[in-house]
Amino acid sequence: MHRREMIKKAGALALGATGWSVLPVVGSPSAKPVNKLPRWKGFNVLDFFNPDPRNKRQTTLEDHFRWMADWGFDFVRVPMAYPYYVDFDRTRPIAKAEVCRISVARVHDVVDLVEMANRCGLHVSLNLHRAPGFCVNAGFEEPYNLWQDPEAMEAFTFHWAYWAKVFRHKTSNQISFDLLNEPCWRENMNDQFSKRTAVPKELYRSLIIKGFDAIRMASRKHLVIADGNNIGTEVIDNIQELDVGQSCRGYAPGLVSHYRAPWVFQHPDDLPDVSWPRMDNGKLQDKSWLREQFAPWIALVEQGGGVHCGECGAWRETPHDVALAWMDDMFSVLTEHGIGFALWEFNGEFGILNSGRKDVQYEDWYGHKLDRKMLTLLRKFVSHHG
């Protein structure tokens, strides 16, 4: 296959990706409800997370994917910032005319990563963490708002049509497409601490339909996933006729998962000590409480839907024993209902390699600092046939 030619053709084909109708899906009402998504277990890798490739956050090597596979994992989620792979003058904010100017060299970076993971037997979920006009995080000035500007919605559709064409030869066992990371409505896109609420249901539904149609026009076999509304926390209840899985989050309670994280708490040093289980305003937060938090997602599985926990984990400042106890309970609940998970992240401050935790006795692993206790905990649920 001439990959450079393939990538260029994908761009041309993607230009016609708007305005397609919804493809109906026929299911079997007599089938016993099971999770329609596989119980994938794995990690997020952040190679394309930073909008600027000159400030690449990390580089994942094929050895890393081999280690994942050897340890029993079968899944990697790849959250991408679209500016990483477009070509524009980075000395100023991106212009609307540049949002769809694809950089073939940067696309090769993504293709190479997917190929490496697939060679190691891992399924890849490609995700737009930053889409044209929206990201749950600040740190990059967008030329418009995805939820308010039709041009942004068209660009969103273009990008998914493009990636679906690039990977049209891949099977559903090799790749899936996670449309948009943690959708929410935020008045000030550039203020990390401005209030965030759910996207109006019909507006989010229209975005999902556009992405779904763009991807399925490239290949009917491609799996499509939509993150829950309101930062991944709320089940999407108006897309039942679409063959779309849903991705939830494993970050509740936030005081445990993001303890002292400066991008979450404005005064992180003023937080009280954290424990698990814990009392919060007179209510016990424990495994039963976690089961309540996941109840809508469990119900979706029981109704025949597909659910995967696309992000979960605890930041480096959460005491290690607290993080492990909480993760043990969370993964137990998910596994009981056949829901898989992807830790944020593999290599970094949430991960099992090089997390920078101060209360861990690391094991040297080919020059990396391995959190063996966390790996052992994760592998308990990898091998569980829940």
Side-chain angles (χ1 to χ4, degrees), residues 79-100:
M80 302 188 300
Y82 81 90
Y84 178 97
Y85 60 82
V86 299
D87 189 12
F88 67 100
D89 181 356
R90 297 180 186 271
T91 65
R92 55 165 174 74
I94 191 169
K96 293 180 181 179
E98 297 169 320
V99 166
C100 295

Side-chain angles (χ1 to χ4, degrees), residues 306-323:
V307 177
H308 183 257
C309 184
E311 290 184 23
C312 55
W315 193 50
R316 67 182 187 189
E317 291 297 317
T318 306
H320 199 233
D321 59 340
V322 174

Side-chain angles (χ1 to χ4, degrees), residues 211-229:
F212 176 84
D213 282 346
I215 291 166
R216 284 296 180 86
M217 284 296 288
S219 173
R220 290 185 64 91
K221 66 180 180 292
H222 281 151
L223 289 172
V224 180
I225 297 170
D227 280 13
N229 203 342

Side-chain angles (χ1 to χ4, degrees), residues 10-26:
L13 291 166
L15 286 169
T18 57
W20 295 321
S21 61
V22 177
L23 303 178
V25 176
V26 179

